[in-house]
Amino acid sequence: MKGRNQSTAIEFILLGFSGLSNLPVLLFVLVLITYMIILLGNALIVLITFTDPALHTPMYFFLRNLSFLEICYTSVTIPEMLVNLLTREKTISFSSCAAQMYFLISLGGTECCLLTLMAYDRYVAICRPLVYTAIMNKGVCIQLVVGSWITGFLAMIIIIILMSQLIFCGPTEINSFFCDFIPVIKLSCSDLHVLKVVAFICSSVFSVIPFILTLTSYICIIITILRIPSTTGKQKAFSTCSSHLIVVTIYYGTLIIAYMLPKTDTLRNLNKIFSVFYTVVTPLLNPLIYSLRNKEVKEALRKALSKCVAFARIMEM
Ligand SMILES: *[C@@H]1O[C@H](CO)[C@@H](O)[C@H](O)[C@H]1NC(C)=O
């Protein structure tokens, strides 16, 4: 009970931008512009996949939900970073910190599930084309997406429950831009064994299993594509999954780099900068990759744009 009181009353200080704070205005503008691009790009994907009937397929249904998730994910961290930069107000209460962390890890888990679903969708489309519409019907797609969100948010409750038991007695300065898991638990003076084991199991389940499933899907996809006799047939099949392949490669690439970076003190700043990179890179690149590489999305954007232009002309008259 005593520990509980202590930990709820506590305030953390986010040290993220100290050391870089001679450039606050420049950093503020840079982060703000990045955030705007992320919001705009992903909102455009949500809008266009919703309104254009040509994009009413399972693949774009999953993409829409992924873009929606990216908006949530960045909105958990970036606005707070901006306030931090602008007001120099660096304290954050324990409960806000725990809430931020809970949303971050839950959305991260959900993202892994969604990316895996998208790989499975491509697997069925390319390797089992005859039963595609039977397997990926609307009801199943909705169930799969809702299942991903529930899995992500339920599984991480246990970590937050364990975290709320921690006692903090030492310095409360977090060397990060937001309430990241490792920098926060490092400040605790409780025994961290159980929490560390549970966190390890959770992160393995939510990264290794999706990775293996995605890899398996793509191995089957590549084998199937190689068996297609004509070159145009090969290209056509590959073009439907290339955007997703790039996105998952970047996603797991950054995950593996983040995992392999040594967690020593000398590399602390590198880790810190990398954590920012990690939170903005997939949300930023997803809409770009899908809208620049994908013929159907490009076509839908072109149609929407010409409608807007037509509408503007009407307004002029
Ligand atoms: C994505 O799925 C979640 C859970 O089913 C739902 O709450 C959310 O509205 C969906 N978002 C979009 C844009 O479809």
Side-chain angles (χ1 to χ4, degrees), residues 46 61 64-65 68 142 145-146 149:
V46 170
F61 175 73
R64 169 160 77 239
N65 214 271
F68 171 72
I142 294 174
V145 166
V146 173
W149 283 79

Side-chain angles (χ1 to χ4, degrees), residues 211-231:
F211 180 72
I212 292 174
L213 291 176
T214 307
L215 197 67
T216 318
S217 297
Y218 271 102
I219 291 173
C220 297
I221 288 172
I222 288 168
I223 291 174
T224 308
I225 289 181
L226 289 179
R227 283 209 197 113
I228 297 174
S230 73
T231 318

